[in-house]
């Protein structure tokens, strides 16, 4: 990805609800503090080109100390510029300061703005946020409110009964096209109005409106010190494994496509779709683990719309359904049995392509190359056989 994505972490508040003693962003968590945990999650994705931390005006030192408390932080991310910008009197002003700082120093294509007190977001949420921001120019993760929602007036009288399915409880990171949110913030800076968050500033001054996508229930904003204890011990509630298998005949006049990558060979996979056995096995393992069905029920080979279909697109569709059920991928492990041609030279490229299709880290995907030891249909180069197993959690 060549797009430059900057991240702004806002940690300029005074934390009065924590008793005003220690800022919540500076409380210990994992290898360092809440702040270093947040920063690490973003930078771990490998998709962030620069980071700005907004600190309380006049106190950059405690902020640097909070990052340094994770001894390896600056060593692990030595290649990524980390900037510090002074906060303002309000969150809006703090974000404005960070954006004008970025304008002078980094000029990114996109920016994600995140609350420093939300340390429990996953790397997947960061990846999703970047993807939706690039696609829609403005994006925000949200949860459907779990309680019935009412609007009340100053006398605590209900004045409106709201329909829950039309409501979104929004989180951060809020992602934007950089130039668009910068110019909206510049206008908002002088219009004398108060805004609830950056999506409102975007939607007030930009033509395009913010796209809301499913966020994470664990992505809470720490309000009280006990929130840290409760949530850091929050365990994965469910894990599931899935097994996928596929076998395709190799015939002349067809392309050999493995994991979305075309491998030059005199034969290719026979199939209704493009015949990519590896992606079919992966699709089946993910659908199986989530209990949603299998590739045959999702994409029947009697349906003409799937003739010569791009299996990467089919996998993406199935994966989206699995993700919509709240599942996240822990890892995917595959075995490709192919006598000829040699698969090993293409392995890295195939692993990276699968990671791209699923929008996960390449180190979550592994593909092993085996032959048929000259035995059977695989051994005589008349077939490709594939096994795939995955681990999902939520
Ligand atoms: Mg197949």
């Amino acid at each position: 990805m060549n797009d430059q994505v900057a991240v702004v972490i806002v940690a300029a508040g005074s934390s009065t609800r924590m008793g005003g003693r220690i800022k919540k962003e500076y409380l210990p968590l994992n290898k360092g503090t809440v702040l270093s945990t947040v920063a690490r999650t973003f930078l771990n994705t490998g998709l962030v080109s620069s980071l700005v931390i907004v600190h309380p005006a006049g106190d950059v030192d405690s902020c640097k100390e909070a990052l340094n408390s994770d001894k390896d932080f600056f060593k692990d991310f030595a290649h990524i510029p980390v900037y510090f910008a002074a906060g303002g009197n309000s969150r809006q002003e703090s974000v404005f300061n960070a954006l004008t700082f970025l304008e002078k120093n980094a000029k990114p294509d996109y920016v994600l703005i995140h609350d420093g007190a939300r340390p429990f977001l996953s790397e997947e949420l960061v990846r999703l946020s970047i993807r939706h921001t690039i696609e829609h120019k403005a994006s925000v993760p949200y949860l459907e409110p779990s309680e019935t929602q009412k609007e009340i007036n100053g006398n605590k009288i209900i004045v409106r009964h709201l329909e829950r399915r039309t409501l979104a409880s929004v989180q951060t990171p809020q992602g934007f096209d950089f130039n668009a949110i910068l110019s909206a913030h510049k206008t908002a800076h002088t219009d004398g109005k108060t805004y609830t968050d950056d999506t409102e500033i975007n939607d007030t001054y930009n033509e395009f409106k913010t796209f809301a996508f499913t966020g994470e229930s664990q992505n809470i904003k720490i309000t009280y010190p006990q929130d840290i204890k409760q949530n850091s011990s929050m365990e994965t509630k469910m894990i599931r494994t899935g097994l996928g298998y596929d076998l395709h005949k190799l015939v002349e006049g067809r392309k050999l496509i493995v994991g979305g990558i075309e491998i030059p060979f005199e034969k290719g996979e026979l199939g209704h779709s493009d015949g990519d056995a590896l992606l079919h096995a992966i699709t089946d393992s993910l659908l199986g683990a989530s209990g949603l069905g299998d590739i045959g029920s999702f994409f029947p080979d009697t349906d003409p719309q799937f003739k010569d279909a791009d299996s990467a697109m089919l996998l993406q569709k199935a994966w989206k359904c699995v993700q919509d059920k709240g599942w996240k991928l822990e890892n995917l492990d595959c075995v490709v049995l192919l006598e000829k041609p040699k698969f090993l030279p293409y392995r890295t490229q195939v692993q990276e392509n699968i990671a791209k299709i699923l929008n996960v880290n390449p180190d979550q995907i592994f593909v092993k190359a085996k032959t048929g030891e000259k035995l059977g249909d695989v051994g005589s180069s008349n077939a490709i056989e594939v096994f795939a197993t995955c681990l999902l959690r939520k």
Side-chain angles (χ1 to χ4, degrees):
M1 192 176 69
N2 301 318
D3 292 311
Q4 299 287 301
V5 179
V7 169
V8 170
I9 297 176
V10 189
S14 65
S15 291
T16 44
R17 260 180 283 191
M18 306 291 278
R21 286 189 303 276
I22 182 162
K23 267 174 67 59
K24 49 198 167 190
E25 292 88 346
Y26 302 166
L27 289 168
L29 182 65
N30 299 330
K31 287 176 80 181
T33 54
V34 168
L35 186 63
S36 69
T37 301
V38 173
R40 198 169 257 288
T41 302
F42 279 94
L43 301 191
N44 269 344
T45 62
L47 301 175
V48 172
S49 56
S50 57
L51 174 67
V52 182
I53 299 188
V54 191
H55 59 84
D59 187 16
V60 68
D61 290 342
S62 336
C63 193
K64 286 184 177 166
E65 213 175 287
L67 276 187
N68 257 324
S69 64
D70 174 348
K71 299 271 172 290
D72 301 320
F73 184 84
F74 285 101
K75 198 172 71 197
D76 289 351
F77 303 113
H79 56 293
I80 300 171
V82 177
Y83 304 108
F84 295 88
N89 290 323
S90 63
R91 189 184 186 282
Q92 186 183 327
E93 208 180 310
S94 292
V95 173
F96 175 76
N97 290 354
L99 294 178
T100 49
F101 178 90
L102 276 173
E103 183 188 22
K104 288 188 205 98
N105 295 283
K107 289 197 174 51
D109 300 305
Y110 300 95
V111 62
L112 306 186
I113 303 164
H114 187 68
D115 299 326
R118 288 184 193 268
F120 303 115
L121 81 164
S122 70
E123 286 173 34
E124 282 114 310
L125 190 71
V126 176
R127 290 172 171 278
L128 271 179
S129 165
I130 292 173
R131 197 176 82 192
H132 288 307
T133 301
I134 292 172
E135 190 174 340
H136 301 277
K137 293 172 89 175
S139 81
V140 64
Y142 81 99
L143 293 180
E144 216 177 272
S146 53
E147 318 266 6
T148 306
Q149 306 285 309
K150 309 289 177 188
E151 187 179 322
I152 57 173
N153 65 14
N155 298 322
K156 310 283 183 199
I157 301 295
I158 292 178
V159 292
R160 229 152 49 100
H161 301 267
L162 303 168
E163 218 180 316
R164 203 170 58 187
R165 62 178 178 81
T166 67
L167 298 175
S169 181
V170 304
Q171 310 180 324
T172 67
Q174 302 191 347
F176 305 95
D177 176 283
F178 179 71
N179 289 324
I181 195 67
L182 175 69
S183 88
H185 253 277
K186 281 184 177 172
T187 317
H189 191 62
T190 56
D191 71 5
K193 288 186 217 140
T194 309
Y195 295 90
T196 54
D197 66 358
D198 302 301
T199 66
E200 192 184 3
I201 293 177
N202 177 75
D203 291 7
T204 304
Y205 289 112
N206 286 325
E207 291 270 293
F208 55 89
K209 302 303 170 210
T210 308
F211 175 76
F213 63 96
T214 308
E216 293 175 331
S217 55
Q218 79 212 39
N219 183 19
I220 60 150
K221 195 168 179 176
I222 296 168
T223 312
Y224 304 101
Q226 59 266 33
D227 292 340
I228 291 193
K229 226 177 171 174
Q230 274 168 14
N231 286 276
S232 36
S233 64
M234 222 166 51
E235 279 165 22
T236 299
K237 280 174 259 146
M238 222 191 289
I239 54 167
R240 292 272 189 91
T241 70
L243 175 65
Y245 168 81
D246 205 10
L247 172 81
H248 278 241
K249 196 172 173 181
L250 296 178
V251 295
E252 279 172 19
R254 291 275 300 184
K255 286 178 181 168
L256 178 61
I257 300 174
V258 183
I261 301 295
E262 191 182 332
I263 299 180
F265 190 51
E266 70 228 23
K267 292 186 191 176
E269 296 121 320
L270 185 66
H272 183 63
S273 65
D274 61 13
D276 192 329
L278 177 54
L279 294 191
H280 294 175
I282 293 172
T283 307
D284 256 352
S285 77
L286 296 170
L287 288 174
S290 59
L292 283 175
D294 58 27
I295 193 166
S297 58
F298 261 66
F299 312 109
D301 59 10
T302 47
D303 191 332
Q305 68 163 310
F306 301 124
K307 178 151 170 48
D308 296 322
D310 175 2
S311 298
M313 187 267 288
L314 303 183
L315 170 56
Q316 239 162 9
K317 273 193 179 173
W319 178 226
K320 192 183 175 301
C321 295
V322 175
Q323 283 181 303
D324 284 348
K325 293 283 174 196
W327 293 106
K328 303 218 163 80
L329 182 71
E330 199 59 49
N331 78 311
L332 185 68
D333 192 20
C334 314
V335 182
V336 171
L337 290 112
L338 190 62
E339 195 72 28
K340 268 195 273 178
K342 287 237 172 299
F343 174 67
L344 214 50
Y346 300 93
R347 175 171 57 200
T348 310
Q349 200 188 345
V350 165
Q351 288 177 169
E352 280 168 4
N353 194 50
I354 295 166
K356 206 169 114 195
I357 295 168
L358 298 175
N359 198 31
V360 298
N361 259 323
D363 68 5
Q364 290 169 273
I365 312 290
F366 202 79
V367 184
K368 286 182 281 285
K370 296 274 171 194
T371 67
E373 295 287 338
K374 301 208 162 52
L375 296 168
D377 291 329
V378 171
S380 56
S381 289
N382 285 320
I384 177 172
E385 194 171 22
V386 179
F387 297 87
T389 151
C390 70
L391 187 68
L392 301 182
R393 69 181 153 81
K394 72 171 168 185

